[in-house]
Amino acid sequence: MAPVRGAKRRRKAAAEKKAAMAAAAAAGGALGAGGGDWWDGFCMRVSGALSCMEDAQRFESIFKMPRRTFNYVCSLVKDEMMVRSSSYAFLDGKVLSLEDRVAVALIRLNSGGSLVTVGSSVGVNHSTVSLITWRFVEAVEERASHHLRWPDSGEMEKIKSMFEKIHGLPNCCGVVDTTHITMCLSSAEPNCKVWLDHEKNYSMVLQAVIGPDMKFMDIVTGWPGSMKESSILHSSGLFKLCKNGARLNGSKLEVSDGSEVGEYIIGDAGYPLLPWLLTPYQENNLSDSKVEFNKRHAAAITVAPRTLAKFKDTWKFLHGEMWRPDKHRLPRIIHVCCLLHNIIIGLQDAAMDEACVSNDHDVNYKQQVCQLADENAVRVRDKLSEHLASR
């Protein structure tokens, strides 16, 4: 099937969101008839401090998403999660419903608890937690991939407008950043040193391009922690697409001297300066125009660390040190958590309050510095800086 572009794609996106809302509402209605019993029963299993909370607050405390979003996720994964409808049961023999299965998987991913801890908290065997969580990961991969994609031209114009309105950076299309998913590996494990990052932790790296609404627009993961930000960028599909003009190829900005600046994303000093990836000026004694550029750049770039901090705080499975994780499955779990992150933002009624979110996603990690600078990119950044100063 050929790519859907322009107005057709915008209509498709609007139809997808409308369908999502309808599915959530339908699932909510179904739960209202018998689902209240499900939630009441589940609350009986997860007691303690949660019992004093209001119902909606308790729900979000457990699942890190509103009830409506939970219902939508259930509607997405229903077919895959219920293929073997009678194969998973509580310790008392009761078969787990669709909602039970989604609940178990979400708790495993967002609590960071061990299989035994999660199992005992909801009354299922630890092996059941493992099987259900992986089935959920596969189901979300299969059914929710459309929630993380590169924006079409109309969507990108809105993103650029937001960056200019909020931070004064015209034609900016996103922020690129990386974060480390730490792991516990045995020193006897083959090739373990490749996973050892510059802070002497074993880790896997997630690179993400993030929009002003804190949504992921593009991700790549699976690379070992020993790789630098610049190396991961050069190895990514994003680099190849941008270099070949297949991305960031939309409308250009006419600057004050009459020349044009194309679409670009921004990154910190750990990235190379490229015509489509603008980093801050690093030298001393900057001119006023360069100081102003750095000021706006610094303000706009904060959306990335805030998003990654929120992401890792929500999906605590990725936040702590995992004991000897399956490094083949881990990238898929990271991807699914990114999809769920976008679903939560896409279905929420109001924009996420960034002021309430920390920007410390890689605790004790020092800023990497890359000195590589494309000559054409130097001219592009200078022209943009002069344009901003002239305004």
Side-chain angles (χ1 to χ4, degrees):
M1 180 179 174
V4 182
R5 301 187 182 277
K8 286 185 178 179
R9 189 165 182 175
R10 287 193 295 275
R11 287 196 296 271
K12 182 181 178 183
E16 285 175 351
K17 185 164 186 177
K18 185 176 180 181
M21 301 297 286
L31 287 173
D37 295 335
W38 169 78
W39 175 228
D40 291 342
F42 198 85
C43 287
M44 293 288 289
R45 298 177 185 277
V46 186
S47 58
L50 297 175
S51 60
C52 63
M53 296 181 181
E54 294 292 333
D55 194 56
Q57 184 185 7
R58 182 172 12 173
F59 193 95
E60 292 195 32
S61 177
I62 296 173
F63 301 116
K64 313 305 180 188
M65 63 180 65
R67 183 69 175 269
R68 181 180 64 179
T69 305
F70 177 89
N71 293 342
Y72 172 63
V73 173
C74 288
S75 72
L76 272 181
V77 301
K78 179 180 179 180
D79 291 344
E80 284 77 9
M81 293 296 288
M82 300 304 290
V83 168
R84 298 167 64 188
S85 60
S86 61
S87 56
Y88 306 119
F90 289 105
L91 295 176
D92 61 11
K94 179 186 175 185
V95 174
L96 274 73
S97 67
L98 168 65
E99 292 78 22
D100 290 324
R101 298 176 191 204
V102 172
V104 167
L106 288 175
I107 291 173
R108 168 68 169 146
L109 294 175
N110 66 40
S111 72
S114 68
L115 294 172
V116 172
T117 299
V118 173
S120 62
S121 72
V122 297
V124 299
N125 189 283
H126 71 276
S127 61
T128 301
V129 176
S130 178
L131 292 169
I132 287 176
T133 302
W134 185 245
R135 175 60 63 89
F136 178 75
V137 167
E138 292 179 317
V140 174
E141 272 189 317
E142 176 69 23
R143 296 294 181 178
S145 60
H146 58 285
H147 283 283
L148 201 168
R149 57 178 176 77
W150 194 255
D152 63 30
S153 58
E155 292 164 338
M156 189 60 83
E157 287 301 320
K158 292 179 181 178
I159 288 170
K160 293 193 294 184
S161 177
M162 287 179 69
F163 271 114
E164 181 168 17
K165 181 179 179 181
I166 299 170
H167 303 295
L169 273 183
N171 234 34
C172 178
C173 298
V175 182
V176 64
D177 201 357
T178 60
T179 195
H180 291 81
I181 310 300
T182 53
M183 309 179 290
C184 286
L185 299 180
S186 168
S187 58
E189 185 169 328
N191 302 318
C192 69
K193 288 185 178 179
V194 75
W195 299 96
L196 197 64
D197 60 38
H198 60 280
E199 297 298 336
K200 307 304 180 185
N201 299 315
Y202 293 110
S203 66
M204 182 178 289
V205 181
L206 164 65
Q207 174 186 281
V209 180
I210 297 162
D213 58 358
M214 302 180 75
K215 271 189 175 184
F216 293 117
M217 299 159 54
D218 179 276
I219 68 159
V220 61
T221 190
W223 295 107
S226 60
M227 290 182 68
K228 295 182 178 179
E229 284 183 331
S230 55
S231 299
I232 293 171
L233 175 72
H234 279 86
S235 302
S236 67
L238 172 74
F239 180 87
K240 297 175 180 64
L241 289 167
C242 294
K243 182 180 179 181
N244 296 332
R247 279 191 183 171
L248 300 176
N249 55 3
S251 60
K252 297 181 182 294
L253 169 72
E254 183 176 340
V255 294
S256 50
D257 68 353
S259 60
E260 293 181 325
V261 171
E263 293 181 335
Y264 60 89
I265 58 177
I266 59 175
D268 62 29
Y271 288 99
L273 175 63
L274 301 170
W276 49 268
L277 200 175
L278 302 186
T279 58
Y281 291 98
Q282 298 180 48
E283 60 265 28
N284 298 320
N285 302 317
L286 296 176
S287 66
D288 290 345
S289 62
K290 293 178 179 180
V291 168
E292 180 62 25
F293 174 84
N294 275 7
K295 179 181 176 182
R296 299 190 190 196
H297 186 285
I301 208 171
T302 58
V303 71
R306 288 178 183 274
T307 299
L308 292 170
K310 173 65 176 175
F311 171 73
K312 291 171 78 172
D313 185 59
T314 299
W315 308 106
K316 288 184 172 63
F317 182 88
L318 309 175
H319 191 54
E321 292 187 353
M322 287 172 281
W323 175 249
R324 303 190 72 173
D326 185 330
K327 294 187 291 294
H328 300 288
R329 287 187 170 190
L330 183 54
R332 296 176 65 182
I333 295 172
I334 295 170
H335 178 219
V336 162
C337 290
C338 290
L339 289 169
L340 292 168
H341 170 93
N342 278 8
I343 289 172
I344 292 169
I345 293 177
L347 292 182
Q348 66 188 8
D349 294 323
M352 187 178 293
D353 185 2
E354 291 186 46
C356 299
V357 182
S358 164
N359 61 2
D360 198 356
H361 61 93
D362 265 353
V363 179
N364 299 323
Y365 277 77
K366 296 182 180 69
Q367 170 68 60
Q368 298 180 35
V369 177
C370 178
Q371 300 293 345
L372 297 176
D374 178 275
E375 290 185 8
N376 185 41
V378 172
R379 290 191 292 270
V380 168
R381 186 175 62 179
D382 286 346
K383 286 181 180 294
L384 182 59
S385 299
E386 292 162 6
H387 174 70
L388 297 177
S390 70
R391 296 169 64 187

